Amino acid sequence: MKNITVLGTGVLGSQIAFQTAFHGFDVVAYDIDQAALDRAAERFDALAARYVADGVENAAGGRAAATIARIRLTSDLTDAAATADLVIEAVPENLELKQNIYRTLADAAPETTIFATNSSTLLPSALAASTGRPDRFLALHFANEIWSHNTAEVMGTPETDPSVYDAVVAFAAEIGMVPIPIKKEKAGYLLNSMLVPFLEAGAGLLVDGIADPEAIDATWRIGTGAPAGPFEIYDIVGLTTAYNISRMGGEKQQRFAQLLKEQYIDKGKLGVSTGEGFYTYPRAN
Ligand code: NAD
């Protein structure tokens, strides 16, 4: 793998493109129009600063800034795919939109190109047929802030060629990720299969009036040594996302969604991003 193309330069796509270029690969980053590409350029500048501020290995001395020179931006999908060895797709989480982009990509990319989706909630088998190359397609799922939360969950479909799977695992390691092999398709991969029930358990304790967020979080932190409890994590994830997931859940989850809406979202308290959620930020220690 030498030439890597990333589709979508939003929150995750920009991070994937930057992390890949940081590790020496030539990257083409594709988005729909010039306005999106302008935002991508701003995201790359911000990431260069974050890598230095967060002390990412070797990011000082101009390496983070030089990374941007290895990323070429384009809004032409055919051009983006033309010489790609691997295409990583990080466009919005919408089945039809993703299927359409894979159908176009199937014609635009060389037959040998591997396609990987970063989708968080769609199983790769839902997209495999539209790629036109199900044996060269799988999921490669990153976590937000990939330079420090550096897991790369690798999940094929029953049709994925094992050598393609292995090549993507090796690529993930080359860009500084810890590859996480997943043996069977599983909604939520490993991380969300554990995190979501954990967060829901915390929410259940709150809506049943058992304890306050502070007490629930403190119990988890002190009792396990983990850095954050469920409500501290909800604030990081963002309360709008938490609301959208909870309102689709069972009765208790829906009560939590209502609480989120009335007590937080309607008051503009969306979590860390707005400076206030269950807690106020920056946190006073
Ligand atoms: P985002 O909305 O921040 O970015 C999506 C980008 O895709 C935007 O730049 C948008 O302009 C672009 N886009 C829109 N339509 C497009 C099209 N037709 N073709 C190409 N690009 C198009 O979204 P995100 O949060 O970066 O999520 C992208 C994918 O990554 C989703 O599948 C999501 O499940 C997954 N993901 C997100 C996170 C996260 O924490 N945000 C974590 C892991 C995985």
Side-chain angles (χ1 to χ4, degrees):
M1 307 249 201
K2 267 184 62 192
N3 299 323
I4 313 299
T5 291
V6 179
L7 307 183
T9 58
V11 175
L12 254 285
S14 61
Q15 294 179 20
I16 297 164
F18 193 90
Q19 177 77 11
T20 303
F22 186 75
H23 284 269
F25 289 86
D26 289 326
V27 176
V28 178
Y30 163 83
D31 213 305
I32 39 173
D33 55 23
Q34 190 55 46
L37 296 182
D38 291 345
R39 284 194 296 277
E42 287 168 17
R43 287 182 192 276
F44 294 142
D45 287 340
L47 284 168
R50 268 304 287 279
Y51 275 48
V52 174
D54 287 3
V56 179
E57 195 186 2
N58 297 329
R63 182 175 163 199
T67 294
I68 295 171
R70 277 195 288 278
I71 307 174
R72 182 168 72 82
L73 288 164
T74 181
S75 57
D76 177 344
L77 185 56
T78 306
D79 166 43
T83 60
D85 299 311
L86 170 66
V87 174
I88 304 171
E89 170 271 305
V91 302
E93 193 72 340
N94 176 305
L95 178 63
E96 222 171 290
L97 186 153
K98 285 190 194 276
Q99 285 173 333
N100 282 339
I101 206 160
Y102 280 116
R103 282 191 202 102
T104 310
L105 195 62
D107 295 332
E111 273 176 24
T112 50
T113 307
I114 296 171
F115 298 166
T117 181
N118 182 48
S119 172
S120 291
T121 62
L122 300 169
L123 289 179
S125 56
L127 298 167
S130 56
T131 68
R133 60 189 77 194
D135 57 325
R136 303 185 76 71
F137 172 69
L138 76 182
L140 174 61
H141 184 241
F142 298 92
N144 194 14
E145 306 204 343
I146 72 174
W147 59 95
S148 61
H149 302 162
N150 61 334
T151 53
E153 297 177 291
V154 190
M155 188 166 83
T157 75
E159 294 178 277
T160 307
D161 183 330
S163 69
V164 167
Y165 186 95
D166 292 346
V168 171
V169 167
F171 165 76
E174 279 186 67
I175 62 163
M177 297 291 113
V178 176
I180 308 289
I182 302 183
K183 295 177 181 177
K184 289 182 185 173
E185 279 192 284
K186 170 80 177 83
Y189 302 82
L190 300 193
L191 177 60
N192 285 336
S193 295
M194 295 185 277
L195 182 61
V196 172
F198 165 70
L199 293 177
E200 287 181 359
L205 292 170
L206 175 66
V207 295
D208 282 348
I210 309 291
D212 291 335
E214 292 79 5
I216 297 167
D217 285 343
T219 306
W220 188 255
R221 280 197 320 272
I222 299 166
T224 67
F231 297 95
E232 292 164 310
I233 296 175
Y234 275 126
D235 272 357
I236 294 168
V237 170
L239 301 192
T240 309
T241 301
Y243 169 75
N244 285 331
I245 295 170
S246 301
R247 74 197 172 99
M248 312 296 277
E251 182 271 331
K252 202 173 282 197
Q253 285 307 302
Q254 288 181 27
R255 275 195 282 142
F256 182 58
Q258 197 179 345
L259 177 150
L260 284 173
K261 184 170 184 322
E262 289 170 3
Q263 296 186 24
Y264 297 94
I265 296 171
D266 286 351
K267 295 177 180 168
K269 301 176 181 179
L270 305 182
V272 175
S273 65
T274 58
E276 192 168 357
F278 287 102
Y279 300 93
T280 303
Y281 300 88
R283 296 276 297 273
N285 274 333

